[in-house]
Amino acid sequence: MTASAMTAETTSDQVLARVLASLDDDKAEDIVTIDLRGRSSIADHMVICSGRSSRQVGAIAEKLVERLKEEFGRTCKIEGKDQGDWVLIDASDVIVHVFRPEVREFYQLEKMWMPTGARV
């Protein structure tokens, strides 16, 4: 889908599929998807993943933002790319967190957002 084709018909599931493909392409590790529909008004999906280094974390985030802009015409908000410890990408109905492993372990976002009884 080109930027000119970006309309209201682009669903959060389509954006999620592209996010996951981008993360896989860039060798993100331990990718977790959390369905937020009906649980939060901030987004439909949250994706949490790790990069092996600050440099990889920044590159994963940068490429994801570029791909979403190119394919869906989405301008994403991005925070934390300069530090490379934890990058937040707000793609409207999909929120993506890219961590260095030790930072991810410290914050444990999965435990906060996973449904009760789900295994992380």
Side-chain angles (χ1 to χ4, degrees):
M1 178 176 291
T2 64
S4 61
M6 172 60 184
T7 64
E9 64 202 34
T10 301
T11 68
S12 62
D13 290 334
Q14 290 171 311
V15 176
L16 175 65
R18 186 60 186 109
V19 165
L20 294 174
S22 179
L23 296 175
D24 187 57
D25 288 347
D26 293 331
K27 310 285 190 267
E29 299 177 345
D30 301 321
I31 300 169
V32 174
T33 303
I34 302 169
D35 189 338
L36 298 177
R37 291 175 286 202
R39 297 179 54 215
S40 175
S41 61
I42 61 169
D44 290 342
H45 305 282
M46 180 183 297
V47 178
I48 303 170
C49 67
S50 298
R52 291 182 300 278
S53 65
S54 295
R55 186 176 190 151
Q56 186 188 22
V57 167
I60 288 169
E62 193 169 301
K63 290 300 290 181
L64 174 59
V65 168
E66 287 173 14
R67 288 171 177 141
L68 292 176
K69 173 86 171 156
E70 180 181 301
E71 294 183 32
F72 296 112
R74 285 206 177 184
T75 303
C76 301
K77 296 178 184 110
I78 186 168
E79 298 287 335
K81 189 170 79 73
D82 294 337
Q83 294 78 22
D85 289 332
W86 174 4
V87 181
L88 168 70
I89 301 110
D90 182 350
S92 187
D93 37 8
V94 179
I95 305 294
V96 183
H97 298 272
V98 186
F99 288 99
R100 279 190 313 107
E102 50 279 357
V103 178
R104 182 177 181 175
E105 177 63 29
F106 180 80
Y107 286 102
Q108 298 187 8
L109 285 185
E110 291 97 327
K111 287 186 179 179
M112 185 181 337
W113 284 99
M114 292 297 270
T116 306
R119 295 190 57 186
V120 178

